[in-house]
Amino acid sequence: MQKVLIIRQGAIGDVVHTTNIYRSIKETYPNTQIDYLTKPLPAQLLENDSNLRRVIKLEDKKYSYLLKLANELRKEKYDLVINLQPSVRFKFLSFMIFPKKIVTYKKTFKLHAVENFFRTAKKALKEIENPNDLKLEIPQEIVEKVK
């Protein structure tokens, strides 16, 4: 895998529940470039993460916007899109990016979201192992402000 795009546009907690995925990918495939597409608010939590090449802010959910975004993202030539949004809109977006492979999240109520999300990624990347923890890289100056 050279380039991976992860899509999760949900709330902050939903996005935090996926941090083990890209960390595991980076541990297993250190040269992989990982991009993450999410809403502007949760994007702020990911912008300083050294495991991500870039964080793309989803500005709208209209099909016209998603098509324009797909045209831009298609230029990246992703090997894999991990679509953690089960909606038709994001299936459409994933398809229109034309990656080599797409895996899409399917919710099951028998598992916690963290495990459910991770199993979606593992469908395509069998070698990855779940680190069983969630982490955010927060710059020290922000930690100091919070203190």
Side-chain angles (χ1 to χ4, degrees):
M1 289 287 142
Q2 297 297 313
K3 282 188 171 182
V4 175
L5 174 66
I6 298 172
I7 300 171
R8 181 63 195 183
Q9 64 100 28
I12 291 171
D14 291 333
V15 172
V16 171
H17 284 158
T18 67
T19 60
N20 60 338
I21 295 171
Y22 60 77
R23 285 183 24 245
S24 181
I25 294 170
K26 269 310 231 192
E27 287 173 19
T28 307
Y29 308 102
N31 295 324
T32 299
Q33 296 177 358
I34 304 170
D35 295 343
Y36 201 113
L37 174 66
T38 191
K39 288 181 178 178
L41 186 60
Q44 294 175 38
L45 291 174
L46 303 178
E47 288 174 339
N48 297 297
D49 199 307
S50 62
N51 294 296
L52 298 173
R53 180 179 71 142
R54 73 179 176 147
V55 178
I56 305 155
K57 294 176 184 169
L58 181 69
E59 302 295 340
D60 199 343
K61 291 191 292 185
K62 293 179 185 168
Y63 279 102
S64 58
Y65 172 80
L66 294 177
L67 186 57
K68 182 180 173 188
L69 180 60
N71 287 334
E72 287 300 312
L73 294 174
R74 189 176 306 131
K75 296 172 188 171
E76 293 291 339
K77 297 182 171 46
Y78 289 105
D79 296 299
L80 173 64
V81 170
I82 301 171
N83 176 14
L84 300 175
Q85 288 296 138
S87 72
V88 172
R89 287 179 192 279
F90 289 95
K91 288 177 183 177
F92 167 79
L93 174 65
S94 298
F95 177 76
M96 294 307 296
I97 293 170
F98 299 148
K100 291 180 182 172
K101 185 168 186 158
I102 302 168
V103 290
T104 301
Y105 170 74
K106 184 177 180 195
K107 188 173 188 172
T108 174
F109 292 98
K110 295 179 182 181
L111 299 171
H112 188 278
V114 174
E115 183 64 28
N116 231 347
F117 291 143
F118 194 84
R119 285 186 181 194
T120 301
K122 195 156 174 82
K123 288 178 196 172
L125 303 165
K126 307 244 185 281
E127 300 83 12
I128 63 173
E129 295 296 325
N130 192 342
N132 293 316
D133 64 349
L134 305 171
K135 292 183 182 175
L136 291 172
E137 291 183 16
I138 300 172
Q140 191 58 37
E141 63 268 13
I142 293 175
V143 172
E144 293 302 318
K145 273 185 177 179
V146 171
K147 286 181 181 178

